[in-house]
Amino acid sequence: MATASDSKYKRTNTNGMQHQPLDVAIVGGGLVGSLLALHLGKKGHEVNLYEYREDIRTAELVIGRSINLALSARGRRALAEVGLEDALLNHGIPMSGRMLHDVNGKCKIVPYDANTNQCIYSVGRKHLNEVLLNAAEKYPNIHLHFNHKLVSANLDEGNLSMVDPVTKDVKSARADLIVGCDGAYSAVRKEIVKRPRYDFSQTYIEHGYLELCIPPTAGGEFAMPHNYLHIWPRGQFMMIALPNQDRTWTVTLFMPFTQFHSITDQGLLLDFFRQHFPDAIELIGRERLVKDFFKTKAQPLVMIKCRPYHIGAKALIIGDAAHAMVPFYGQGMNAGFEDCSVLTELFNQYGTDLTRILPEFSEKRWEDAHAICDLAMYNYIEMRDLVTKRSYLLRKKLDELLFWMMPNTWVPLYNSVSFSHMRYSKCIANRAWQDKILTRVLYGASIASVAAIGGLCYRHVTMGHLERLSTSILSTLQLLKPKASV
């Protein structure tokens, strides 16, 4: 891993040209903010990281408000660029596919990549944040400030005003560049949204989430096979479980708020689980299930789309501040980490010329961010419902076969999103192209099959028989027809 001694604090170098380092203020000390501090600190810039909460490394973990994280290719590359990929992979738990639980407790494995056995990694949010902050603290040009809540900013001048939530002391700061990495409810974005002709949308879905926990067995082992993302798909709702290093499972129940609100006592809760998740009662434990379910309220899920991501040459938003998404593709963190990679590439290309870096970042990133927000919404339908459909499983098998035959031409949607660096917008375009090809091939095959069968059977069957046979063939092919693209 790179250390503080690698940085050049007087001047930075880009393509043989020397530049004065920038004073950068990063608002938000979560995953994306702390990683961006490393990326920019490594380049020699003076970085001040402001976080409104206390230091997470000394704070107690807040249960019920954090969905486990799935680290995949895009996030891994951003971590590798600051020398932390191996450390996080050694901590993470590889998951090679989905394990689906039906209402009778029977399980079915659906691999993510049957050809090359690629996997995603279950990582703890708190641990990852601690690793990033510890690494940032080693750089003398990165300064961490906790209990600093942004209350106002002049984004044209680069001025910040903050308050300590505990002491109420007001503090001010000035920077050449302000980067908002402060999440879906970003204070920096609130300042940007005030600008005229700014595109912004906020969408809450009707479903919320609530966290539960599966403890280790009496012998201290995992209660289920641990190299899978476990899913209990139930049509309009679902439950998932991701493994943790301490042999527990973080279980997340997603369903409409109306359904959460209808479960008002222990009896209704247990009846609901007996009907829909009977095997989970024993895994979680009856008493723990009741305690954890009523301990916290279901939390909302929001999607944020906006553009552009910059204001002039002094302010930028990235991560959830720019493109918060629902968690069903496991790309929220990965997309935010990829923002850091894209921004660093532009610094490498343009040095410290923020008049070029910031507009180009907005232009390169907004379409991809909107695309992954849409894909995340679609994947909820897939996870809670489509994974149980015969048509979905047949399409997946066909994708795997074509990917095996033509790995450089036919890349399945999930593989392109999770195991490649293909632009998110390109992933959608690629899927649309695949759907178009399959539709033409399948309908062409149906016509050829009907014609061939008709020729063979012309002398032996009536026209009525042919019509019924043709209808049967077309119905079978329709089952294989790809769903409409996102």
Side-chain angles (χ1 to χ4, degrees), residues 124-236:
R125 180 187 297 272
K126 187 174 189 291
H127 175 80
L128 177 52
N129 208 165
E130 289 175 345
V131 169
L132 293 171
L133 290 172
N134 287 337
E137 207 167 43
K138 294 178 181 178
Y139 285 79
N141 57 321
I142 300 178
H143 314 282
L144 308 181
H145 309 274
F146 300 99
N147 295 311
H148 279 63
K149 181 179 180 180
L150 180 68
V151 290
S152 64
N154 184 329
L155 300 182
D156 295 307
E157 300 295 330
N159 295 324
L160 301 169
S161 179
M162 291 159 289
V163 65
D164 186 319
V166 179
T167 66
K168 306 304 179 185
D169 293 339
V170 177
K171 303 174 183 180
S172 60
R174 190 176 186 285
D176 299 315
L177 173 63
I178 298 170
V179 186
C181 304
D182 47 343
Y185 305 101
S186 168
V188 177
R189 191 187 63 239
K190 286 179 182 178
E191 296 292 331
I192 297 177
V193 169
K194 297 174 184 177
R195 304 296 177 109
R197 300 177 61 195
Y198 189 77
D199 291 336
F200 171 78
S201 69
Q202 172 179 285
T203 304
Y204 284 95
I205 66 173
E206 63 179 15
H207 295 234
Y209 74 93
L210 188 145
E211 282 197 353
L212 305 168
C213 179
I214 294 176
T217 64
E221 299 300 323
F222 282 108
M224 302 183 294
H226 65 280
N227 292 124
Y228 300 97
L229 168 64
H230 289 253
I231 307 178
W232 290 257
R234 298 297 182 263
Q236 291 303 308

Side-chain angles (χ1 to χ4, degrees), residues 382-398:
E382 178 176 304
M383 292 175 71
R384 77 186 192 214
D385 188 25
L386 298 183
V387 290
T388 64
K389 306 295 185 185
R390 187 166 50 149
S391 57
Y392 168 84
L393 296 173
L394 287 172
R395 170 61 190 267
K396 185 167 180 62
K397 290 292 185 184
L398 182 57

Side-chain angles (χ1 to χ4, degrees), residues 269-307:
L269 173 63
L270 293 175
D271 287 343
F272 174 77
F273 266 74
R274 289 190 193 103
Q275 180 181 355
H276 299 291
F277 312 112
D279 59 329
I281 297 176
E282 183 178 352
L283 291 167
I284 298 172
R286 176 173 168 165
E287 291 185 6
R288 182 163 194 161
L289 170 61
V290 173
K291 178 183 176 182
D292 288 352
F293 186 90
F294 292 108
K295 181 169 59 179
T296 58
K297 293 182 179 180
Q299 301 299 312
L301 295 165
V302 66
M303 178 177 69
I304 301 290
K305 291 182 178 179
C306 59
R307 62 179 292 209

